[in-house]
């Protein structure tokens, strides 16, 4: 994408949640650079609609607004997510439920509520945001790891169900990316940051644009025969023990 001629998504209408920050913000910018009209949602930041994606009924409202604003919906990128390190004892019911509510249930609901619009598109695309945490686990990330494993399973089932309508569903699985989500951990634990830099054969942490470019690529015609897949965007970190 970056480096190719822009315009691969001209005329497409997109909806991106979590677009106030990090990967979601970079994705909205990349989709726009490719010619898409993008409706953006987040709790905060410079977006079209401030909303909590876990609120009852909100996802149906959001997709209807996006479709009304831009005359339909072709691309859905549910990118809103939360993460923090907590021991198992620190995973009280409220914290566990909140992570699952944002990272999984809201993703399911917005996909479900977008289906009637995506079915009317000739180029329906869903790109969910998983994680390398769908391949392994880590101390302190019980709820987050569970949610990201589940997003991959959700994506695969959605791909099977929506394939007959020409809609693709894929899951981009970032490694360690420098965003406000990871900033507190990398600041508090520089050794953690150094570990991820070393683990990736490309020798650096990812930037939001590294992920956004792949998300946009999956939305173009070039990816029309790819569905039900998870794609690591991790500088090769998952190739190392
Ligand atoms: N940064 C990484 O290393 C990394 C790695 C793997 C996966 N991811 C995933 O990428 C996605 C984006 O994360 P990021 O790193 O850009 O983080 P970020 O914190 O920069 O952005 C996440 C955005 O989601 C929004 N959000 C959170 N809860 C919300 C809610 N209830 N309703 C509406 N918006 C809400 C936040 O306000 C924030 O703007 C997440 O799903 C995350 O799990 C990130």
């Amino acid at each position: 994408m970056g480096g190719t001629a822009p315009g691969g998504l001209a005329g497409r209408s997109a909806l991106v949640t979590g677009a106030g920050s990090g990967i979601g913000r970079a994705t909205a910018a990349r989709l726009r650079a490719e010619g898409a009209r993008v409706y953006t949602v987040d709790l905060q930041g410079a977006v079209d609609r401030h909303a909590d994606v876990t609120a009852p009924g909100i996802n149906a409202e959001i997709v209807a607004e996006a479709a009304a604003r831009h005359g339909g919906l072709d691309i859905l990128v549910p990118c809103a997510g939360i993460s923090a390190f907590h021991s198992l004892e620190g995973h009280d019911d409220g914290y566990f439920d909140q992570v699952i509510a944002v990272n999984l249930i809201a993703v399911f609901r917005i996909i479900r509520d977008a289906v009637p619009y995506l079915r009317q598109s000739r180029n329906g695309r869903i790109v969910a945001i998983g994680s390398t945490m769908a391949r392994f686990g880590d101390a302190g990330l019980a709820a987050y790891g569970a949610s990201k494993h589940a997003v991959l399973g959700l994506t695969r089932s959605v791909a099977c169900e929506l394939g007959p309508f020409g809609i693709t569903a894929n899951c981009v699985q970032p490694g360690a990316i420098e965003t406000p989500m990871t900033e507190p951990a990398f600041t508090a634990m520089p050794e953690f940051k150094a570990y991820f830099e070393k683990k990736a054969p490309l020798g650096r942490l990812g930037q939001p644009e590294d992920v956004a470019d792949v998300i946009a690529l999956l939305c173009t015609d070039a990816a029309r025969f790819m569905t039900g897949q998870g794609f690591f965007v991790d500088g090769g970190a998952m190739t190392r023990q």
Side-chain angles (χ1 to χ4, degrees), residues 21 23 42 44 51-53 79 130 144 148 175 177 179-182:
S21 173
I23 294 167
D42 201 302
Q44 50 86 39
D52 179 347
V53 294
C79 195
Y144 186 77
K148 293 301 184 181
I177 312 297
T179 71
M181 178 181 281
T182 49

Side-chain angles (χ1 to χ4, degrees), residues 65-85:
E65 278 174 14
R69 171 84 65 96
H70 293 140
L73 187 66
D74 305 293
I75 295 166
L76 174 65
V77 184
C79 195
I82 54 173
S83 174
F85 283 88

Side-chain angles (χ1 to χ4, degrees), residues 30-67:
R30 168 53 60 192
L31 296 177
R32 285 193 180 112
E34 296 299 325
R37 294 163 308 206
V38 186
Y39 190 77
T40 52
V41 177
D42 201 302
L43 281 175
Q44 50 86 39
V47 291
D48 293 302
R49 168 77 191 261
H50 285 136
D52 179 347
V53 294
T54 67
I58 192 72
N59 289 294
E61 211 179 285
I62 290 168
V63 290
E65 278 174 14

Side-chain angles (χ1 to χ4, degrees), residues 8-9 12-16 31 36 63 73-78 110-111 114-115 117-128 155 158-159 162-163 165-171 214-228 231:
L9 299 175
R12 311 273 167 92
S13 162
L15 166 56
V16 181
L31 296 177
V63 290
L73 187 66
D74 305 293
I75 295 166
L76 174 65
V77 184
I110 202 163
I111 291 173
V115 167
Y117 302 94
L118 294 172
R119 280 181 63 165
Q120 289 173 36
S121 168
R122 295 161 64 105
N123 306 286
R125 297 278 194 276
I126 299 167
V127 184
T155 305
V158 163
L162 299 184
F165 306 106
I167 300 167
T168 71
N170 290 292
C171 184
V214 177
I215 293 171
L217 180 65
L218 288 168
C219 296
T220 65
D221 290 345
R224 63 191 170 275
F225 203 53
M226 299 162 76
T227 194
F231 298 99

